[in-house]
Amino acid sequence: IDIKNLGKPRFFGKNGNISISVFDYNEGKNSKFSFSISKKVEKSAVLRNKMRRIGYKVIENELNSIKKGFLVRFLVVCNG
Protein backbone atom coordinates (compact mmCIF):
# COMPACT_ATOMS: atom_id res chain seq x y z
CA ILE A 1 0.00 0.00 0.00
CA ASP A 2 1.44 3.34 -1.02
CA ILE A 3 0.38 5.79 1.66
CA LYS A 4 1.06 8.73 -0.69
CA ASN A 5 -1.85 7.60 -2.90
CA LEU A 6 -4.35 7.57 -0.03
CA GLY A 7 -4.74 11.34 0.05
CA LYS A 8 -5.38 13.30 3.22
CA PRO A 9 -6.15 11.36 6.36
CA ARG A 10 -9.73 11.30 7.55
CA PHE A 11 -8.42 11.88 11.07
CA PHE A 12 -5.07 12.93 12.49
CA GLY A 13 -4.28 13.14 16.16
CA LYS A 14 -1.19 13.61 18.25
CA ASN A 15 -0.62 13.13 21.95
CA GLY A 16 2.91 13.49 23.25
CA ASN A 17 5.21 11.23 21.24
CA ILE A 18 2.47 9.25 19.48
CA SER A 19 0.56 10.34 16.38
CA ILE A 20 -2.24 8.49 14.61
CA SER A 21 -3.44 8.89 11.03
CA VAL A 22 -6.67 7.26 9.86
CA PHE A 23 -7.34 6.88 6.13
CA ASP A 24 -10.38 5.56 4.27
CA TYR A 25 -9.17 2.29 2.79
CA ASN A 26 -11.58 -0.35 1.58
CA GLU A 27 -15.16 -0.45 2.80
CA GLY A 28 -16.37 -3.81 3.95
CA LYS A 29 -12.90 -5.25 4.51
CA ASN A 30 -11.14 -5.44 7.85
CA SER A 31 -9.18 -2.36 8.81
CA LYS A 32 -5.39 -2.49 8.53
CA PHE A 33 -2.88 -1.15 11.01
CA SER A 34 0.77 -0.19 10.98
CA PHE A 35 3.17 0.80 13.74
CA SER A 36 6.33 2.78 13.12
CA ILE A 37 8.82 3.45 15.92
CA SER A 38 11.62 5.92 15.28
CA LYS A 39 15.23 4.95 15.92
CA LYS A 40 15.44 8.06 18.07
CA VAL A 41 12.95 6.45 20.47
CA GLU A 42 14.92 3.20 20.74
CA LYS A 43 18.14 2.35 18.91
CA SER A 44 17.75 -1.40 19.38
CA ALA A 45 15.76 -3.00 16.55
CA VAL A 46 14.85 -5.85 18.90
CA LEU A 47 13.16 -3.46 21.33
CA ARG A 48 11.47 -1.44 18.55
CA ASN A 49 10.03 -4.68 17.14
CA LYS A 50 8.87 -5.69 20.62
CA MET A 51 7.01 -2.36 20.90
CA ARG A 52 5.39 -2.98 17.51
CA ARG A 53 4.33 -6.50 18.52
CA ILE A 54 2.74 -5.14 21.70
CA GLY A 55 0.80 -2.60 19.61
CA TYR A 56 -0.41 -5.31 17.21
CA LYS A 57 -1.45 -7.49 20.17
CA VAL A 58 -3.57 -4.66 21.61
CA ILE A 59 -5.26 -4.21 18.20
CA GLU A 60 -5.79 -7.97 17.88
CA ASN A 61 -7.56 -8.07 21.25
CA GLU A 62 -9.89 -5.21 20.21
CA LEU A 63 -10.40 -6.15 16.54
CA ASN A 64 -14.06 -7.13 16.96
CA SER A 65 -14.95 -3.65 18.22
CA ILE A 66 -13.07 -1.76 15.46
CA LYS A 67 -14.99 -0.54 12.41
CA LYS A 68 -14.04 -1.94 9.01
CA GLY A 69 -12.64 -0.06 6.03
CA PHE A 70 -9.80 2.00 7.49
CA LEU A 71 -6.02 2.12 7.29
CA VAL A 72 -4.58 3.29 10.61
CA ARG A 73 -0.96 4.37 11.08
CA PHE A 74 0.61 4.80 14.50
CA LEU A 75 3.87 6.75 14.58
CA VAL A 76 6.05 6.98 17.69
CA VAL A 77 8.73 9.66 17.61
CA CYS A 78 11.06 11.39 20.05
CA ASN A 79 10.24 15.04 20.64
CA GLY A 80 13.54 15.93 22.21
Side-chain angles (χ1 to χ4, degrees):
I1 301 169
D2 186 5
I3 203 154
K4 293 175 187 172
N5 293 333
L6 292 173
K8 284 190 163 188
R10 173 184 259 234
F11 171 81
F12 175 81
K14 187 171 183 178
N15 187 355
N17 295 348
I18 300 174
S19 66
I20 181 173
S21 301
V22 180
F23 298 88
D24 289 320
Y25 177 58
N26 194 346
E27 274 188 52
K29 294 200 174 184
N30 286 337
S31 293
K32 293 190 174 195
F33 301 87
S34 70
F35 289 85
S36 180
I37 316 269
S38 170
K39 275 188 180 178
K40 292 180 181 179
V41 172
E42 177 55 60
K43 292 194 186 290
S44 167
V46 172
L47 294 178
R48 286 195 313 273
N49 288 336
K50 185 174 184 178
M51 289 181 211
R52 290 179 57 230
R53 286 192 299 270
I54 290 169
Y56 285 124
K57 189 67 173 174
V58 170
I59 295 298
E60 182 182 323
N61 291 338
E62 298 297 325
L63 201 52
N64 291 334
S65 64
I66 297 172
K67 289 184 178 181
K68 295 182 177 194
F70 296 105
L71 176 66
V72 183
R73 178 181 64 179
F74 294 93
L75 180 62
V76 182
V77 294
C78 186
N79 288 338

